[in-house]
Amino acid sequence: MPSLFQQIQAGRIWDFHGGIHPPSRKTQTSQKPIDSYSLPARLYIPQRQHIGVAGRVLVKVGDHVLKGQALTAADNAMAVPVHAPTSGTIVDICLHPSAHPSALPEPVFVLEPDGLEQWRPRHALDMLHADKAQILQRIQQAGIAGMGGAGFPSHIKAGAAAAVDYLIINAVECEPYITADDVLMQHHSDTIVQGIEILSQLLQPKAVLIGIEDDKPAAIKAMQQAVAGKNHWFVRALPVKYPSGGEKQLIQRLTNKEVPSGRRPIDIGIVVQNVGTAFAIAQAVLEDIPLISRVVTVVGQSLSRPQNMYALLGTPVHELLSACGFEPQPSQRLIMGGPMMGFTLPDARIPVVKTTNCIIAPTHEELPVAGPELDCIRCGACTEACPVNLLPQQLLWYSKAKDHTQLQAHNLQDCIECGACAYVCPSEIPLVHYYRVAKADIRETQREALKAEQAKARFEARKERLEREKQERAERNKQLAAQRQQQLADQQKQQIAEAQARTQAATTELTHAEIVAERERKKAEARAYQAAKLAAEQDIIQSAEPTLSADDRAEQDPRKAAIAAALARAKAKKAQASGEAESTSVEAATVAAAPALGNTVEPQSSSSDDAKKAAVAAAIARAKAKKAQASGEAESTSVEAATVAAAPALGNTVEPHSSSSDDAKKAAVAAAIARAKAKKAQASGEAESTSVEAATVTAAPALGNTVEPQSSSSDDAKKAAVAAAIARAKAKKAQASGEAESTSVEAATVAAAPALGNTVEPQSCSSDDAKKAAVAAAIARAKAKKAQSASNSEAATDPTQADSEPPLADSDAVLPPVPQDEPQVVAQPEPVAANPSAEDAKKAAIAAAIARAKAKKAAQNPQEPS
Amino acid sequence: MSFRIAASPHHHSQAKTAVIMRTVALACIPGIAAQCYFFGVGVLVQIALAVVTAWLCEAAVLKLRGKPIQAKLSDHSALVTGVLLAVAIPAYAPWWVIVIGTAFAIIIVKQLYGGLGNNLFNPAMAAYVMLLISFPTQMTSWLPPLTLQTTPVSVSDAACTIFTGYSCSGNSLTQLRSDVDGRTMATALDTLRTAVAAKQTVSEAQTSPVFDGLGGTGWSWVNLGFLLGGLFLLQQRVIQWRIPVAVLGSMTLVALVFAMVDSDRFASPLFHWLSGGTMLAAFFIATDPVSASTTPKGRLIYGAMIGLLVVLIRNVGGYPDGWAFAVMLANLSVPLIDAYTKPRVYGQSAKRG
Amino acid sequence: MITALWALGALALVFGAILGYAAIRFKVEADPLVDQIDDILPQTQCGQCGYPGCRPYAEAIAGGDIITKCPPGGEATIKKLADLMGVSLDSLDQTQNKQEKRVAYIREEDCIGCTKCIQACPVDAIVGASKQMHTILSNECTGCDLCVEPCPVNCIEMRPVQTTAERWKWDLQSIPVHVVEVK
């Protein structure tokens, strides 16, 4: 039994099932030479003329292109470029009816030829030294796709990596009318063979089989001559039968092999290429001529001169038709392709593309229009004719019933749509049309099923994601709740521990010695307190504020002590303004106040040490203040220093249990900030009140913080700090707009009052005091405003007035605890004003009077916003 | 100028259903001619009656269904049904037999199933079976060959007998069928059956003048006529060779087996070939494309089944000639046969899932 | 008489045993009904049937709900469900013809980045983040319409899917014929 190869060598050819023999009608064009026609006015070159994706567009409207210039570039393997068939200008890139049965618009390049036929530079590929990759790249870049009608990118087929047994050249051209390949072989057999050589080199087949139908004797002879002497190259003349030119049918005829369903010929070691493709490959590789034209058979009895033409790609069909003498009939059909597999054109502007091998313009007599569709009589002629051995009848029944399962069971996907079944059907049923519609339906259903799967997967993933997020949130919430629980527990533990310690301390039985020591300590404290009181008294007497028996009050009322301290401070400022070193008094006052405050606030703590420390600090501050005054620095510094000294002292005395060092640090920091601000303010010419503000402000939070270790009045302190900050801002704004310093003073007061209120009463309901302080601050604000408006110029020119103002405001501020004293507020400024310089005193008196008036008004409307 | 859109292919073989049907009807002519020559012109009257009835019934039903009458009638399928039924029944059966039969065939068996191409059973054969069961006497009143006729039957007698039941000279059909001895003559098959049942051998039975050594006097020629017509159809590629060959082949085989088993009781294959309605059935009835199998292998099985059944019915069954039953039974099996005889498609492996 | 009874009884036992054995030995595991129904449904998750997704509707159908509630599935889905559930098609109302496939499209110049549509999309086919541009992934969009409502600036519209040559349904009647003057 000879092997397959031997049989092929011997010239054996096989047959496939079915097939038909329509009249070939080829003689009208096969005897004539290939003709050309004049350049059309416009060429419409589609961007995609193959199976795959269009290349990347390289040109834009208005570009001038040369003949053979690439209009698109291939970015990937499935892209095949298109080229300019002639030189000219790209006048448009737009949508144009496509060369497809649907005639759906697709993007095209509209090229207007300039008639010059200028080529771009061409470089032949040296076949001796070029490697496979280079050749394939040249084939791809030349834009070569299968020219037999399918349009599969040739470089992919030619670049097959698998072993190739047979390279089959399809020169069968089985469809009636078409003679394009026939005349190509007659006139260009040598070039064709060169192309086949190139393919051979790429694929290394065992044999090359060239199949030609035996109704093309001239072509057979030409090819036989061209391949003479080539080893294992066989030209086979096949008896005419449609559709021998189908890839699968040709393989079966020449090699008796069958391509498995759903696979490609390369899977059985066979590559089939059209003879026109081989010609194009030769031109591209050897002459660097890209695929820009092809032979097209233009035929039909409505043409007076049917013939083959060298058609430029992109030529509108009507150009070819008119070149052949077209006389259209009413209801004319224009068929692109052969009569069996070609599609009708709804538009004569549709261009020639790479896969166009024929244009038919038949008359009704030549190709009668299909009659009415009758019922299928189950005659079985279609089954006899089918080259794939299908059951077209059953496929028809199931197509009509849209039974996709049965259609697939009857192998609809193997139908090659050759049209043989519809050709023989006596009932003139358009069988192939039914199958195409059914195939499109099945494809669409499969696509939708796939999409549904994907949508389902995404939906499930989304559900999962939402679940996950919900769980994470729940986790986090649980953790936070646990944390909070922990915090609360810790706090409670802390409180319990402190309470325990307190009770412990409270309930600790004191030994006699301890009791004595305690008594001594208390005595020492009292002495210190007395000293401070004395100092305070002096200052207070000096300040001529009889109502303020701070000494007495301070003892009984910590608030009053704080107020006294403030007053002392204010006096000191005045003194400093006039040049006296009253910082001492201030210091002293502060220092005196400090222990008082400290004592009143915490009678149980051992504050003697602290008091000593405070005294030391005060002394230091005094010295500093002297130095500052000597060097002419602003009094604010001393005030600051005093405050700074006071603050830690206060801080220390007042908070034995809490980390007073922190507060001291905070106070120090605040004081430093205040210092800096004061310097800045002085640099910009602002009144010292700013610094006072700053100092007070910084002091306030410090005070607030230090005085309230255990109560939750830290909130109030915070509020005070906030209020102080606001006051600061307001003051700055006011100063910016030119208002009197009193505003700043106000702010300071506002800040101070709540703070003071808070600090003085740590164990009582400080909120009331805070409120009262706020009210007082408001009143003071209003008064101050009135004072300002009345004595604006005075305030601006006389800084001393400003000095007088603060005490005013302060005095106003300190009065709130005694509401009935409001009217006396007015009176109070007078003694204050009647201080150091007579002039100042006078001015101060005037200002006081004005303030009085304002205060009266303000009293009527205490809520007046500042 | 506007362009016409059409689906490919644009080329057509110009084969038409109407042409096929017409060709089938024409191919019956040799057989009909033989029938006329040997048995009188009664068959022509039957044909006329059948065709008219068929057209009328078809037109009426198409009108009811809302289908185009002219287009559907012009596919000649009704014509063929009428002709085949008319040829199959006794030539001198009363007129209402053919009319009822044709009406039944067209209306119930063909149109009610969906019209041309959709009927499950062969309309002519289904009608024949219905008539045979409903009117057994009329359906078995075969006139003997003219040569054996004792009472001469003229041309006008055909019309008279068919329409009135009596010949123009007043003889009843029974009388027309009687031989000199007064016994009614039957067909060759019938005679054989009766004789074998009476324990005669085949050879003895074949001494009767009804037999002529082949298929029966006159009947042989009729069968040869239809064989000629069938061969004509084959040549015209109107029918395929598979069904006739399968029918005749299996009939021969089975009859051979029977004859070898007992040649005294069972007739030879040659007798079977040329007796009764063998050729008519093999080439015209069984090849009705609508009710036959569609796959190539299926057609062989279908034909073989018919041949087998016919011989069984003839030799051991209850009826002298069983074509109608055989064809009907095969029609029933067609969907099953088609499902299991799908051809191997190119590219698919030979295994069937 | 007794023999007959014995014979029939014995036959019944024998065949019963054979059938029982076959039922266990040759049992075929089939998909649960809900899974089969869910496979038929188009997975648009649009909620037009009144259920929050296709799976709940599948469960409802298995529980006896009518099968005509799914507009995106169209006639094909109803036919398949009728086949599966053994429901006769004649007894059902005719649903509207399957509309052409549409996908959502966001007009980017109007989008304010509020993420309301992202939260509404049942298949996460919208890409975007708060204050960032939102856009629809056309390949993933099932055309369920659920994103159109929540958009506060009405910048989402439903556009029909373009027919391409690959997806053309061979409707010869729809090809536009170009009438030209005879040259």
Side-chain angles (χ1 to χ4, degrees), chain A residues 23 25 248 252 257-261 328 331-335 339-340 342 344-348 367-369 375-380 384 388-391 393-394 397 410-411 414 419 422-428 433 436, chain B residues 1-18 20-21 71-72 75 114-118 237-238 240-242 288-296 299 334 338 341-348:
Chain A
R25 301 184 185 169
K248 298 186 176 173
Q252 193 173 22
K257 286 187 174 190
E258 285 187 17
V259 179
S261 173
S331 201
Q332 173 72 49
R333 271 170 302 168
L334 288 180
I335 301 171
M340 302 298 297
T344 47
L345 302 173
D347 194 332
L367 287 182
V369 174
D375 296 304
C376 166
I377 59 168
R378 295 161 58 101
C379 64
E384 289 236 320
V388 187
N389 218 2
L390 297 169
L391 292 172
Q393 219 179 84
Q394 310 287 23
W397 293 121
H410 281 81
N411 305 109
D414 289 333
Y423 179 83
V424 296
C425 180
S427 297
E428 291 186 281
H433 189 64
R436 286 200 196 110
Chain B
M1 162 184 62
S2 79
F3 297 108
R4 185 192 190 90
I5 308 292
S8 72
H10 311 284
H11 206 172
H12 191 260
S13 65
Q14 299 309 307
K16 296 253 200 296
T17 306
I20 289 175
M21 295 294 173
K72 297 279 182 183
D75 66 15
L116 179 66
N118 298 300
R237 303 182 72 116
V238 169
Q240 288 179 8
W241 59 269
R242 288 191 174 91
D288 172 40
V290 179
S291 49
S293 176
T294 54
T295 62
R299 286 181 168 178
V334 157
D338 275 350
T341 56
K342 289 206 283 269
R344 186 192 70 85
V345 172
Y346 175 107
Q348 301 282 354

Side-chain angles (χ1 to χ4, degrees), chain B residues 122-135:
Chain B
N122 189 320
M125 287 300 104
Y128 186 93
V129 167
M130 184 274 292
L131 290 173
L132 190 59
I133 295 172
S134 312
F135 315 113

Side-chain angles (χ1 to χ4, degrees), chain A residues 37-44 86 111-113 312 314-316 318-319:
Chain A
Y37 55 94
S38 48
L39 276 177
R42 292 276 170 92
L43 291 171
Y44 301 87
T86 184
L111 175 68
E112 194 174 295
L312 292 177
T315 307
H318 64 79
E319 297 274 349

Side-chain angles (χ1 to χ4, degrees), chain A residues 48 100-102 104 318 328 346-347 349 433 436 443-444 447-448 451-452 455-456 458-459 462 465, chain C residues 38 42-43 45 98 119 121-124 139-142 164 166-168 170 172 175-176 178 182-183:
Chain A
R48 185 176 75 88
H100 182 268
S102 63
L104 287 169
H318 64 79
D347 194 332
R349 299 171 300 166
H433 189 64
R436 286 200 196 110
R443 234 177 295 140
E444 198 61 35
R447 198 182 282 124
E448 277 180 22
K451 276 199 82 176
K456 200 172 172 180
R458 289 183 82 90
F459 182 64
R462 178 172 183 268
R465 171 175 66 88
Chain C
D38 198 28
Q43 301 306 318
Q45 322 290 353
K98 188 168 186 182
Q119 292 156 35
C121 178
V123 292
D124 278 347
N139 281 340
E140 308 291 346
C141 175
T142 58
T164 58
E166 290 91 15
R167 299 181 66 151
W168 189 52
W170 289 95
L172 293 180
I175 302 177
H178 185 243
V182 178
K183 272 198 260 193

